[in-house]
């Protein structure tokens, strides 16, 4: 058991709810391995209390914190500076204290592409197809661009939301790479892609018998393509099971969770962190 004293430096994750977060297990495992006097805490913050919470964090000298739903965009007005990637995504998941105030970035992008970098592909020749056009899709788009994909396709069910989503990228460097499609156009897109990404919540533990797209459409996926689900429980999801049966290489969201956390912890500590320790702690929580 860690001995927490008045000298222990504080880190944490804010969200509502935050009780289910797996981040404390991951980060505290890495901190223990490094032998540092830090502790990472789950910090429940109601949306209406965000301003007071951020002010309070500064007052008690919190070193930094992660952000989960529903605060990833709401946090922006309370930051003195944001990274270029956070500005592009329009959301922040990692914050730390500087002399001038709170600084924010988004390590979801780095987390998303980490497992893809380990798979040999010529990304300039791959046009990803992204299922869903919510907040998670934004980090995936930025990640695909960083990998070198010259075109990125996004598929959504609601035409108005899809149009607003496309418009939100107009003043970014990615505007020319991004195309949006309606759900009924999926069969033709799936048959041509080398990377199919699910950013929707369909298939989570509460609906594990569902998949975001029909099995007959998924069968159009070329053999050797990559199917990536941001969901990490259950693992694999029905979507990934079906994709694997079609000959796809599958990736679930657990490695993204590990890698985005490792990137954040490395920023706060200013030194390399034991990623494998974080991975093992996460997998133990998921068992």
């Amino acid at each position: 058991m860690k001995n927490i004293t008045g000298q222990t430096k504080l880190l944490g994750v804010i969200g509502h709810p935050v009780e289910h977060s797996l981040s404390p297990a991951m980060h505290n495992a890495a901190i223990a391995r490094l032998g540092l006097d830090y502790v990472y805490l789950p910090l429940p913050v109601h949306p209406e209390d965000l301003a007071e919470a951020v002010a309070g964090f500064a007052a008690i000298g919190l070193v930094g914190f992660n952000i989960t739903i529903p605060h990833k965009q709401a946090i922006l007005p309370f930051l003195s500076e944001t990274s270029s990637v956070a500005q592009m995504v329009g959301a922040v998941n990692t914050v730390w204290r500087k002399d001038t105030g709170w600084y924010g970035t988004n390590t979801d992008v780095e987390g998303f592409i980490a497992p893809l970098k380990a798979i040999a592909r010529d990304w300039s020749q791959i046009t990803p197809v992204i299922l869903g056009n919510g907040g998670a899709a934004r980090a995936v788009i930025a990640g695909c661009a960083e990998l070198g994909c010259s075109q990125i396709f996004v598929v959504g069910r609601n035409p108005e939301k899809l149009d607003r989503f496309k418009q939100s990228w107009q003043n970014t460097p990615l505007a020319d790479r991004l195309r949006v499609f309606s759900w009924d156009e999926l069969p033709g897109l799936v048959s041509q892609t080398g990377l199919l990404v699910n950013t929707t919540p369909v298939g989570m533990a509460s609906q594990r018998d569902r998949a975001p797209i029909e099995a007959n459409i998924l069968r159009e996926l070329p053999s050797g393509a990559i199917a990536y689900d941001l969901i990490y429980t259950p693992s694999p999801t029905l979507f990934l099971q079906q994709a694997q049966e079609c000959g796809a290489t599958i990736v679930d969201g657990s490695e993204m969770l590990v890698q985005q956390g490792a990137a954040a912890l490395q920023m706060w500590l200013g030194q390399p962190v034991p990623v494998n320790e974080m991975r093992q702690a996460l997998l133990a929580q998921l068992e």
Side-chain angles (χ1 to χ4, degrees):
M1 184 75 177
K2 179 179 173 58
N3 183 33
I4 297 172
T5 72
Q7 299 298 314
T8 304
K9 294 182 173 66
L10 302 178
L11 298 165
V13 54
I14 67 168
H16 181 68
V18 78
E19 294 82 4
H20 66 288
S21 176
L22 301 174
S23 293
M26 285 197 309
H27 286 87
N28 287 319
I31 288 165
R33 179 87 167 110
L34 292 168
L36 299 175
D37 193 12
Y38 281 77
V39 65
Y40 184 103
L41 304 168
L43 303 166
V45 175
H46 286 258
E48 61 270 24
D49 297 330
L50 184 58
E52 290 175 273
V54 173
F57 294 157
I60 64 171
L62 197 78
V63 174
F65 56 97
N66 285 130
I67 303 161
T68 188
I69 294 170
H71 305 311
K72 286 189 175 186
Q73 291 174 306
I75 194 73
L76 293 170
F78 306 107
L79 305 177
S80 60
E81 192 178 351
T82 54
S83 69
S84 57
V85 69
Q87 290 168 27
M88 187 181 300
V89 174
V92 162
N93 80 329
T94 301
V95 171
W96 64 97
R97 191 78 184 160
K98 286 188 170 183
D99 293 340
T100 53
W102 293 110
Y103 184 93
T105 191
N106 192 308
T107 64
D108 284 335
V109 176
E110 189 173 338
F112 169 72
I113 64 177
L116 293 176
K117 285 180 173 178
I119 303 171
R121 292 289 190 278
D122 180 357
W123 295 104
S124 66
Q125 299 302 308
I126 289 177
T127 299
V129 173
I130 299 167
L131 306 175
N133 51 270
R138 303 189 70 87
V140 171
I141 289 167
C144 289
E146 194 167 317
L147 283 172
C149 302
S150 54
Q151 275 200 312
I152 301 164
F153 294 171
V154 174
V155 187
R157 292 188 183 276
N158 184 311
E160 291 177 5
K161 287 183 179 177
L162 199 56
D163 188 56
R164 284 200 300 271
F165 184 82
K166 181 169 174 56
Q167 292 301 320
S168 72
W169 291 89
Q170 285 310 301
N171 295 319
T172 76
L174 304 190
D176 293 339
R177 299 200 209 183
L178 189 64
R179 291 183 62 191
V180 299
F181 297 86
S182 61
W183 211 261
D184 58 11
E185 295 176 276
L186 253 179
L189 301 175
V190 169
S191 65
Q192 300 297 315
T193 190
L195 174 62
L196 180 64
V197 186
N198 177 39
T199 72
T200 79
V202 178
M204 292 176 71
S206 59
Q207 41 183 297
R208 62 178 64 227
D209 59 344
R210 295 182 60 205
I213 61 176
E214 296 82 357
N216 63 312
I217 297 177
L218 200 50
R219 280 193 283 271
E220 299 290 326
L221 196 64
S223 180
I226 300 166
Y228 195 142
D229 202 332
L230 300 198
I231 296 169
Y232 51 83
T233 180
S235 178
T237 57
L238 181 59
F239 166 68
L240 291 184
Q241 289 175 47
Q242 293 174 340
Q244 192 168 39
E245 289 167 7
C246 299
T249 298
I250 63 170
V251 180
D252 75 13
S254 60
E255 190 64 11
M256 176 176 175
L257 185 62
V258 169
Q259 296 289 348
Q260 64 78 28
L265 190 58
Q266 188 162 314
M267 288 178 192
W268 294 325
L269 301 180
Q271 66 180 82
V273 299
V275 178
N276 196 50
E277 210 77 27
M278 300 180 77
R279 185 181 295 111
Q280 294 307 316
L282 173 67
L283 294 176
Q285 292 290 308
L286 293 175
E287 285 178 356

